[in-house]
Amino acid sequence: MTGRQLVTSAQNTWCPGCGNFTIQHTLKTVLAGMEQEGTRLDDVVLVSGIGCHAKIADYLNINSFYAIHGRAIPVASGIKLANRELKVICCVGDGDVYAEGLDHLIFAAKRNIDITVIVHDNRVYGLTTGQYTPTSPLGFKGKSTPMGTMEYPLNPLELMLASGATYIARGYTKKMDLLKTLIRGAIDHRGFSFIDVLQICATFLNLTDHYNTHTRDLPAYDRSDALLACEKIREWDYNSGAPIALGLFYQRKAPTFDEQLQHKSLPKTERLLRTREFLATRQ
Ligand code: SF4
């Protein structure tokens, strides 16, 4: 099926001004472009978690799986390992993946599982009406923290770098062209790709003015240099008033989990040959 209608007829219940619209539209545009270039959209699977973001599985007309809270990544990993030919995209929320599902995120990065994780990071639990998440700003006053949070937010990009992710980026829902480039790059990347998207929650934590005045593009540097990437990632710690860099922070090539799994199932002589070939690429 080509030229497919990518938006379903499901009633959209996101609030007006929600950044999820941008992510949905951008993903749709990327998928349409891939289809035009010859990708069969039946070979793409979208997995979502639980939260406002997760409704994207209802709104995009591709194969999809609505996982339970925090468990989108193990489902996506299983799909990928069952069929290596599939492109697996995992849309998750910040509460969903940095709280309930954090261990899965870390281990998927560590194993370099060839999936794309797009975090709709609105820095609040929107669906349950405004509780704080691991990336909420210090002092955020929500339903569960009327006096303000006392916890410093997590820097997910730094965590992903330490965990072994091979593609690490940050986007913003008001910068759609950049977001499109990052999503396409992540899908094309062979290995675990991760994009933290600063997503506007128009209802419970609207940071539009702050992001509009503080975001900037990353400068040029060697994207395969982990130390430089770490330096750039640490410039903004999710709480300070420092400039917020957007773009691709880090990318490297590494064997994926499915490649290694296939390697292990080969006869011993073939395995030795492949190991030699692999080692030769590292010299
Ligand atoms: Fe979007 Fe926030 Fe409304 Fe949820 S609560 S749909 S994240 S604006």
Side-chain angles (χ1 to χ4, degrees), residues 12-21 51-53 55 122 124-130 199-205:
N12 194 308
T13 56
W14 286 328
C15 311
C18 176
N20 282 318
F21 285 106
C52 295
H53 78 275
K55 298 176 189 175
N122 58 12
V124 69
Y125 283 100
L127 192 68
T128 48
T129 69
Q199 177 234 309
I200 297 302
C201 173
T203 304
F204 295 108
L205 182 56

Side-chain angles (χ1 to χ4, degrees), residues 12-241:
N12 194 308
T13 56
W14 286 328
C15 311
C18 176
N20 282 318
F21 285 106
T22 307
I23 298 176
Q24 183 202 357
H25 182 74
T26 309
L27 189 52
K28 184 193 80 171
T29 307
V30 168
L31 291 170
M34 286 167 57
E35 188 187 33
Q36 275 175 5
E37 291 166 21
T39 300
R40 269 171 29 99
L41 292 188
D42 285 342
D43 292 335
V44 178
V45 184
L46 174 67
V47 183
S48 71
I50 294 290
C52 295
H53 78 275
K55 298 176 189 175
I56 197 169
D58 292 332
Y59 304 153
L60 276 179
N61 180 26
I62 52 174
N63 299 312
S64 59
F65 192 108
Y66 223 129
I68 57 174
H69 211 186
R71 312 297 172 220
I73 288 182
V75 171
S77 302
I79 291 169
K80 182 69 194 186
L81 297 182
N83 185 348
R84 300 179 65 209
E85 304 308 314
L86 298 176
K87 296 265 185 204
V88 185
I89 302 165
C90 206
C91 282
V92 287
D94 46 306
D96 184 47
V97 81
Y98 300 146
E100 281 84 355
L102 184 63
D103 46 352
H104 300 302
L105 179 69
I106 290 171
F107 277 88
K110 176 177 178 286
R111 292 170 180 148
N112 198 27
I113 294 183
D114 184 22
I115 58 174
T116 293
V117 174
I118 300 171
V119 185
H120 300 221
D121 189 357
N122 58 12
R123 307 175 70 192
V124 69
Y125 283 100
L127 192 68
T128 48
T129 69
Q131 295 80 12
Y132 82 105
T133 73
T135 51
S136 295
L138 182 68
F140 167 69
K141 291 183 180 170
K143 287 274 169 65
S144 58
T145 51
M147 310 286 281
T149 65
M150 296 180 293
E151 294 174 31
Y152 215 74
L154 184 76
N155 185 332
L157 279 73
E158 191 174 352
L159 179 70
M160 285 295 89
L161 187 66
S163 303
T166 49
Y167 181 106
I168 301 172
R170 181 189 289 127
Y172 171 35
T173 50
K174 296 280 183 185
K175 300 270 173 79
M176 206 191 285
D177 286 346
L178 174 65
L179 189 59
K180 185 177 157 198
T181 304
L182 294 176
I183 291 178
R184 182 61 200 262
I187 295 172
D188 289 346
H189 175 77
R190 186 99 178 98
F192 184 82
S193 52
F194 167 87
I195 311 171
D196 182 87
V197 183
L198 300 175
Q199 177 234 309
I200 297 302
C201 173
T203 304
F204 295 108
L205 182 56
N206 195 336
L207 296 168
T208 306
D209 290 345
H210 184 76
Y211 290 158
N212 283 351
T213 51
H214 285 73
T215 48
R216 62 169 175 81
D217 290 339
L218 269 170
Y221 66 91
D222 176 3
R223 296 300 199 258
S224 66
D225 187 324
L227 285 178
L228 273 177
C230 189
E231 198 178 287
K232 299 292 173 203
I233 284 170
R234 284 183 167 181
E235 282 175 3
W236 181 56
D237 63 359
Y238 278 68
N239 206 66
S240 70

